[in-house]
Amino acid sequence: MRIGVDVGGTKIEAIALDSAGKIAARRRMATPRGDYDGTLDAIAGLVRELETETRTRARVGLCMPGALSPATGLIKNANSTWLIGRPFDTDLARVLDRPVRLANDANCFALSEATDGAGAGARVVFGVILGTGVGGGIVVDGAPLTGPNAIAGEWGHNPLPWPRDDERPGPECYCGRRGCIETFLSGPGLARDHRVATGEDLSAEAIVSRAGDAITRYTERLARALAHVINLLDPDIIVLGGGLSNIESLYDEVPALWSDFVFSDHVATRLVRNRHGDSSGVRGAAWLWPK
Ligand SMILES: [Zn+2]
């Protein structure tokens, strides 16, 4: 049995996953915001409850926004800011009395889809979260690729490639630069693009349901952004997740557009929608302990 825990800014979710990938038990609770020891206790409590219910001792993996810095062994880049600068994995290993594995949400998403989701059986999977932010994760032969900086796949803060004149220098990004892929392809980025073009303030969901010009621009920008990834990584499959992965037309239209930018006579990479949806965080966390 594996236990996967998804530590979000508002809730912590935990599942017990059997070896066939079936969820045997599930727990959810509000995140003790701002309380580091409380967060450790909450996770330990959820693990204990799941182990009691399933009558096993499990391996535990964690998914969180943010990463362990290989340089310091401490959490960095987390929007749950009370975890930043803490040795979260070693503290958890202590309270749970076992080693734990930890990965960021994009890596967990990619791993979940690569293991038994839409990317199952593919050798190189690029998983993309198109939501409030834009993140990416890479899985090769069933294992997440992290790298010495723990940022492999984080292309959301690369610039939008092959920009048109009206896309330069691009919107300001919280990372301090302008024109990042995230500023165009996140939900807030889509809403901004629609607002600038029409003067109308709409949510990303409303813009998606109308399927107008903003979606046409979004589709073409996503094609360029992914062509960049294909040129560098040449993945077998690209899996989309997050709220904007619900734009049905992307799956036909983006591959029709990206061939103009990919340096190849033919593009065999497939673009697919995720299978596990909101469960990809907990499922990917559990699969940090491979079969
Ligand atoms: Zn940025």
Side-chain angles (χ1 to χ4, degrees):
M1 194 73 76
R2 297 169 177 79
I3 288 178
V5 184
D6 185 359
V7 185
T10 54
K11 70 171 177 17
I12 301 176
E13 185 176 5
I15 57 165
L17 199 67
D18 72 17
S19 52
K22 194 170 153 289
I23 296 177
R26 186 190 288 265
R27 288 284 187 287
R28 214 175 277 220
M29 66 175 290
T31 304
R33 292 183 62 82
D35 181 354
Y36 183 70
D37 290 332
T39 303
L40 291 175
D41 288 345
I43 293 166
L46 291 174
V47 168
R48 226 177 291 123
E49 284 177 33
L50 289 175
E51 289 189 326
T52 305
E53 182 173 338
T54 57
R55 298 201 194 93
T56 50
R57 184 172 165 89
R59 302 190 145 190
V60 178
L62 256 99
C63 161
M64 58 174 294
L68 272 179
S69 162
T72 63
L74 309 175
I75 296 290
K76 64 172 180 178
N77 300 353
N79 57 6
S80 297
T81 50
W82 63 96
L83 304 179
I84 291 175
R86 301 283 197 150
F88 195 40
D89 61 333
T90 50
D91 284 342
L92 274 169
R94 182 173 42 76
V95 295
L96 292 171
D97 189 29
R98 77 197 81 180
V100 297
R101 290 185 179 174
L102 194 150
N104 76 22
D105 41 6
N107 280 354
C108 286
F109 168 73
L111 182 57
S112 167
E113 293 298 327
T115 303
D116 63 355
R123 182 156 182 247
V124 178
V125 177
F126 185 58
V128 181
I129 297 181
L130 300 169
T132 312
V134 170
I138 300 166
V139 174
V140 180
D141 292 330
L145 186 69
T146 45
N149 306 298
I151 56 165
E154 288 293 352
W155 109 128
H157 296 277
N158 284 8
L160 184 72
W162 300 284
R164 295 187 305 256
D165 286 345
D166 63 357
E167 293 169 335
R168 268 190 297 250
E172 285 180 8
C173 184
Y174 74 88
C175 75
R177 301 189 184 274
R178 302 187 69 140
C180 293
I181 286 170
E182 177 165 303
T183 66
F184 291 100
L185 297 183
S186 63
L190 173 63
R192 183 196 166 280
D193 182 63
H194 180 79
R195 191 169 61 243
V196 168
T198 65
E200 186 185 29
D201 224 341
L202 280 184
S203 68
E205 294 75 27
I207 297 165
V208 169
S209 68
R210 281 194 192 180
D213 291 348
I215 298 299
T216 304
R217 289 190 296 275
Y218 186 91
T219 302
E220 203 271 329
R221 287 167 177 160
L222 181 61
R224 277 184 270 154
L226 292 178
H228 231 197
V229 173
I230 297 171
N231 280 345
L232 188 69
L233 183 67
D234 202 1
D236 295 280
I237 193 161
I238 298 173
V239 187
L240 302 184
L244 294 163
S245 69
N246 294 322
I247 305 173
E248 203 57 62
S249 56
L250 294 178
Y251 301 96
D252 288 330
E253 290 177 13
V254 168
L257 292 166
W258 70 21
S259 16
D260 285 351
F261 299 95
V262 175
F263 190 60
S264 172
D265 58 343
H266 174 76
V267 186
T269 302
R270 290 184 296 138
L271 180 70
V272 297
R273 190 181 191 148
N274 67 84
R275 182 182 297 165
H276 294 303
D278 291 342
S279 293
S280 63
V282 276
R283 295 184 68 95
W287 291 127
L288 287 170
W289 295 96
K291 287 188 192 189

